[in-house]
Amino acid sequence: MKTNVMRRLDQAKIPYADFEYDTGEGITYGAHLIDKTGKERAHSYKTLVTKGKEPHVFVVPSEKHLDLKKAAKVAGEKKIDMLAQKELKSLTGYIHGGCSPIGMKKAFSTWIDESAKSLSVMAISAGQVGVQVEVNPQALSEMIGAPFADLVTEEEE
């Protein structure tokens, strides 16, 4: 089954590997997902949507917290907050646990945590709960126009 994210990666001629996982236990992303699939924890990233004067998207390691002060600074905002879950689908077209930085309804300013720069692949949502894609971080950055930045706190989830 191809998701919109996979179709867009195909169009951009960016290689990827997709994998599905069982969501029956309420697992949507992060360390628990990686434990279930046997993938490396350091390669798992989540997509977070924030709002300031306008929405911004941040792709950060699944086990880390987005530092809202750092995020606001790179976005050129005085302050940003996490977007309410109930607003996610209408704004992006994605639901919680299935949000991808690729293929949102509109192109929002997006940043990827600098930790991804040293990886050969990173796992992100394929736009549907239960499906992920592994993609080269540099290729993803170029495709969606997302620079790398220091975005996370030192605390782990």
Side-chain angles (χ1 to χ4, degrees):
M1 156 200 74
K2 288 252 185 195
T3 66
N4 190 40
V5 169
M6 293 174 202
R7 285 188 285 279
R8 293 204 180 193
L9 287 167
D10 288 342
Q11 288 169 351
K13 297 187 179 1
I14 295 175
Y16 63 91
D18 61 282
F19 61 95
E20 294 184 31
Y21 57 94
D22 180 17
T23 59
E25 296 176 34
I27 296 168
T28 55
Y29 65 86
H32 300 292
L33 161 63
I34 297 306
D35 290 344
K36 289 287 183 189
T37 60
K39 303 289 182 182
E40 286 191 49
R41 284 183 176 209
H43 295 189
S44 175
Y45 283 71
K46 60 188 173 187
T47 302
L48 302 173
V49 183
T50 64
K51 63 179 179 176
K53 291 179 182 160
E54 55 189 70
H56 303 284
V57 177
F58 298 93
V59 181
V60 300
S62 293
E63 295 185 302
K64 298 281 186 173
H65 292 284
L66 176 65
D67 184 315
L68 292 174
K69 288 183 180 178
K70 289 179 182 178
K73 185 175 180 179
V74 300
E77 296 268 8
K78 195 177 270 188
K79 182 182 180 216
I80 60 172
D81 295 299
M82 294 304 298
L83 185 74
Q85 255 186 44
K86 65 183 178 189
E87 298 175 53
L88 187 64
K89 184 164 171 92
S90 63
L91 183 70
T92 66
Y94 293 125
I95 61 168
H96 179 73
C99 189
S100 178
I102 300 170
M104 290 188 180
K105 284 182 172 182
K106 184 178 169 197
F108 298 108
S109 55
T110 303
W111 290 265
I112 301 170
D113 187 68
E114 65 188 6
S115 62
K117 282 173 81 171
S118 63
L119 301 175
S120 58
V121 295
M122 63 190 293
I124 59 170
S125 175
Q128 183 176 322
V129 176
V131 187
Q132 294 233 318
V133 290
E134 289 178 318
V135 64
N136 177 278
Q138 295 290 344
L140 175 65
S141 171
E142 290 170 20
M143 177 186 176
I144 62 175
F148 294 96
D150 177 16
L151 301 171
V152 298
T153 65
E154 294 308 308
E155 304 167 21
E156 293 201 3
E157 276 193 4

